[in-house]
Every structure is written in C-alpha cells, then in structure tokens.
Amino acid sequence: APTEPYTLPLHDALPILVTMKKILAIVLALMLALTMCAGAVAETENPVAGKKVAYVMLLPSATIFQMWKDSCADLCKALDVDFDFFFCNGDFNAWMDTINSCAAAGYDGLLISHGNQDGSYVFLKEVAEKYPEMKIVCFDTQFYTDGEYQKIPGITQMFQQDKSLVTVLLDDMIAKFGEGARLIKVWRGPNYNSPFDRREVGWQEYEAAGKIKTVGEIQPLQDSVDSANAVTAAYLQSINREDVDGVIAYYDLYGQGVYKAIEENAMFNGTEGAALPMGSVDIDQVDVTNMQNRPDLWAAAGTTDWTMNGEIGMRILMLEMAGEYDKIYDPATKTYGVDVVEVPGTAIKAEALREDHTVENLADVAGETYGNLGYLSVADWMPAELIHSDRKSTRLNSSHITLSYAV
C-alpha cells in the first residue's frame, strides 16, 4: 500500500527546525574556521626554508664583523637556511673570486660587504646579469662609475649613517676644545672603501665650515692593530702635544692601535701634561674596556649595534629571496619598499660607561639606536622577535604602527 505522507503540526516542527538551524550554523562556523586556519598557515609558511646563503666580507675578521656574522647565523638557523661566511683579508680580487665561486655553486643569496667604490659597480652588475636568480644585498658598498652613483635593479644597498658617525665624534671634540679644534685623522685615504669615503664627507663639511682644522693624517699600511700602532707611534714623534687637540680614527681597529701608541708615549698619555683624547668609529669589547680604563684617552665611539646590523642585512636578503621587496624597511626614513637602507648611529661617551657595561649592553648609554628591534624588516613568517624571544619591538612612523610583544 502506498505510504501516506506524515505532517507535523507547526508547534511540533518548530523545535526541530531551530535545532537544525543551530547545527547548520555550527557546521558553517567550523568550515569558516578551518578555511581561516588554512589561510593563516599559508600566510606564515616559510618561503626561504632550504635556501643557501653566504656572508662575503672584504675586510679581515674583527669583533664587530663576528657579531654581524653570528646574528646572520642565528637568523638563518631559525629560518632553516644554510649559511656560510667568508672573510677576504682586504683583498678585492679574493672578494670578487669568492662571490663568483658562490654564484657558480648555486647559492640562492649573498650578503656582501665593503666593496670598494671604484670596481664594485661594474663587477656586481655583471654578476647580477649572469646569475639573475641569485639575490644580493650589499653593505657599505657604493655603486659608482662615470662620475655618478648608480643603482643595480634588484640589489638593496645597506649602510650605516657613516657621515654622522664621524660628525658625532667631531661634535664631542668641538665641545671640549671649541670651534677650530685641531685634529688628526686616521684612515686609509680616499677610495679605499665606501664607508671611509662616506665618513670623510662629514669631516670635509666640518672643515669647510671652520669647525675643525686638520693637523695631519695617519694612514695604516694594513687593516691591523699593529700597523695602526706602528704608524701612529712614528707620527707622534714628529709633532708637539700643544699643537693638536685630538685624534679621530675612522675604524675602531685602527683606534686600538692609536690608543696603544698614545698610552705608551709620555708626551701624550697624560704623564707630561694633558692626555691626547681620541674617538673612533665602530665599537667592540676591547674599545669598551679601553674607554672604561682611560676615558681621558679614548673619549668616545660613534657606532651602531653590529649584532643588529647583521640581522638587518640578512632579513633584507630573506625578503629578496621571498620576492617581498615591499617589506624592506629603512629605519632612517621610516619607509618601506626601498632599495637603500641606512642604520642610524650615535656617540657612546666614555664618561657614561659603568664597570658592568660591555659591547652587548650599551643600550642605556647609546639611546634607541642600539638593539632597536623596530629597525628590522619583518614578515608574517619572519617576525621581529624571531631570535629575540625576550625582547619587545615597537615601530612607529607616519603611516604604520606595529606593536609586537614576546609571550
């Protein structure tokens, strides 16, 4: 017999309809949640895992460059990226050979440092054209040819604000000795490397304005403490203490040799008359110790945070390899999507150092420029705190505010 349709009275059907509606809502909510989770996983997926990169440094190893290298290694480890490093002992040909070898070996990215102004542009342009899949970030490397500064598409240039690293030291000398302070400059001369040339701009501006007077130059023959010490010791024999107010070294490795030469000369170390004060660009633990021991000799250092510098550079390289150029951040201008990044610096005064200060904990005397996580380029898969689990990052500029807290 045919089945008769069964009809529920409305008052009996309503509870069933309400229950079915709730079940449907729950199902839809679960589906939406799963979709959002899948999207979040996709957004935070690490796009650089398994890549291979290297840090190639023209100069010999030094404490600050080891600090740089170590932070690069830490970031690469956190992102599952293979990392190598090479120091080329000041040999530009060895630097170029190392870059060519890495490119030919299939490295995905290179963070290269301190190329000279004369030859870096032509060489790196050729490398970029021959190996277009390999990404490059340059630190302290100017692109200069035919009397003009150039760009290489796809390559980000990173610098310290080198001019200011010298001028903060000059300001300290002027505060001590007044306008027209008589100073000795320690460097390797023009066109030796990009950072020295950029620092020289500050010196020349101050001299042209009559703020300082150049008494003389000391040029170490090699990038070593011993060479700086020997040349400075000889130079001090040729001048009178009353004819000079201070010394500025464009590199703290030279500064260590200068410090030793001054300390060993009774005419300049304070034994016979006032000690000859000096300042230097960059900083490491030897410098901090010397500044603590003899603040009358090593009076100040103009610097950035070299541990942070390495991470800033490597993060830029990671973003290039991920194709996320729009996330590259310049803390100097507080803008994104840039091809030049400058890291602000500051003067650290010897008189402000305590006994417990080391090169790792200078933030309270260096201001916000030292260890500032807000200077880092970030992505969902590469947050600021990735290798700083106990730190907080705060970034504030005219178009964007990011507040990220470690949990």
Side-chain angles (χ1 to χ4, degrees):
T3 303
E4 293 291 334
Y6 179 73
T7 303
L8 280 174
L10 182 59
H11 68 277
D12 291 332
L14 281 175
I16 297 174
L17 291 173
V18 170
T19 301
M20 292 178 64
K21 185 177 180 180
K22 289 181 178 179
I23 293 172
L24 180 60
I26 292 171
V27 170
L28 290 174
L30 288 171
M31 291 176 64
L32 180 60
L34 289 172
T35 300
M36 292 177 66
C37 288
V41 169
E43 289 178 3
T44 57
E45 183 179 352
N46 178 5
V48 297
K51 301 284 189 182
K52 185 174 184 179
V53 303
Y55 166 48
V56 183
M57 172 47 137
L58 174 64
L59 299 180
S61 177
T63 301
I64 57 174
F65 304 141
Q66 288 293 329
M67 292 164 65
W68 170 296
K69 181 264 295 180
D70 290 345
S71 65
C72 288
D74 289 345
L75 182 66
C76 288
K77 181 178 180 180
L79 291 171
D80 192 25
V81 172
D82 290 336
F83 173 71
D84 290 323
F85 61 92
F86 305 92
F87 292 98
C88 299
N89 297 315
D91 186 333
F92 187 64
N93 289 325
W95 184 78
M96 291 190 294
D97 289 344
T98 302
I99 291 169
N100 275 325
S101 296
C102 288
Y107 280 73
D108 298 290
L110 298 180
L111 176 54
I112 61 181
S113 192
H114 285 70
N116 67 32
Q117 182 167 286
D118 288 341
S120 294
Y121 171 72
V122 172
F123 168 68
L124 291 174
K125 186 172 183 290
E126 292 176 353
V127 171
E129 291 172 351
K130 186 175 181 180
Y131 301 97
E133 298 303 314
M134 184 180 72
K135 303 303 179 184
I136 298 174
V137 174
C138 296
F139 179 70
D140 272 351
T141 303
Q142 293 277 28
F143 300 153
Y144 189 82
T145 190
D146 298 330
E148 294 182 351
Y149 290 101
Q150 309 287 341
K151 300 277 190 180
I152 301 178
I155 295 182
T156 304
Q157 292 172 280
M158 176 185 164
F159 302 95
Q160 298 181 98
Q161 287 186 316
D162 287 288
K163 176 179 131 176
S164 68
L165 296 181
V166 165
T167 58
V168 294
L169 298 174
L170 299 181
D171 287 338
D172 185 55
M173 290 293 181
I174 293 168
K176 289 181 171 70
F177 303 107
E179 295 276 330
R182 303 163 302 170
L183 303 176
I184 298 168
K185 172 172 53 183
V186 185
W187 69 324
R188 293 290 295 272
N191 299 320
Y192 177 69
N193 63 32
S194 167
F196 288 1
D197 291 336
R198 286 160 56 86
R199 292 164 195 175
E200 177 68 2
V201 171
W203 185 285
Q204 293 298 330
E205 287 182 0
Y206 271 50
E207 183 156 51
K211 295 181 178 181
I212 63 169
K213 179 181 178 180
T214 304
V215 172
E217 293 188 9
I218 296 173
Q219 295 193 12
L221 303 178
Q222 297 176 328
D223 291 322
S224 69
V225 174
D226 289 343
S227 180
N229 172 245
V231 175
T232 303
Y235 183 86
L236 292 179
Q237 299 296 324
S238 69
I239 62 171
N240 297 317
R241 172 66 185 89
E242 59 268 22
D243 294 332
V244 60
D245 294 316
V247 182
I248 302 294
Y250 279 19
Y251 178 25
D252 74 307
L253 190 72
Y254 306 157
Q256 292 171 19
V258 171
Y259 174 84
K260 184 178 179 183
I262 295 174
E263 189 181 40
E264 293 175 345
N265 189 315
M267 297 297 294
F268 294 91
N269 67 10
T271 300
E272 301 177 19
L276 179 66
M278 56 164 285
S280 64
V281 176
D282 298 330
I283 196 166
D284 72 8
Q285 186 54 49
V286 173
D287 310 343
V288 172
T289 300
N290 289 337
M291 291 167 73
Q292 290 165 325
N293 291 338
R294 288 295 305 268
D296 57 331
L297 290 188
W298 202 320
T303 190
T304 56
D305 181 348
W306 278 87
T307 296
M308 186 64 63
N309 290 347
E311 184 179 355
I312 290 171
M314 187 56 71
R315 281 173 173 267
I316 295 170
L317 184 60
M318 296 298 175
L319 290 173
E320 285 191 2
M321 292 192 299
E324 299 182 19
Y325 285 82
D326 60 310
K327 293 185 173 69
I328 296 174
Y329 177 70
D330 175 32
T333 60
K334 298 182 173 62
T335 54
Y336 291 86
V338 297
D339 58 8
V340 174
V341 172
E342 284 195 311
V343 183
T346 190
I348 295 175
K349 307 287 185 67
E351 61 191 20
L353 295 175
R354 301 185 307 271
E355 289 184 3
D356 63 339
H357 272 122
T358 70
V359 75
E360 299 290 347
N361 65 352
L362 295 172
D364 63 330
V365 292
E368 68 171 12
T369 65
Y370 214 84
N372 191 336
L373 300 192
Y375 289 177
L376 300 175
S377 296
V378 300
D380 291 338
W381 48 272
M382 189 173 60
E385 296 83 3
L386 184 61
I387 59 174
H388 305 279
S389 60
D390 60 340
R391 299 282 299 281
K392 177 180 76 173
S393 169
T394 302
R395 177 176 299 165
L396 173 64
N397 61 49
S398 59
S399 62
H400 184 75
I401 297 175
T402 299
L403 294 173
S404 302
Y405 292 88
V407 178

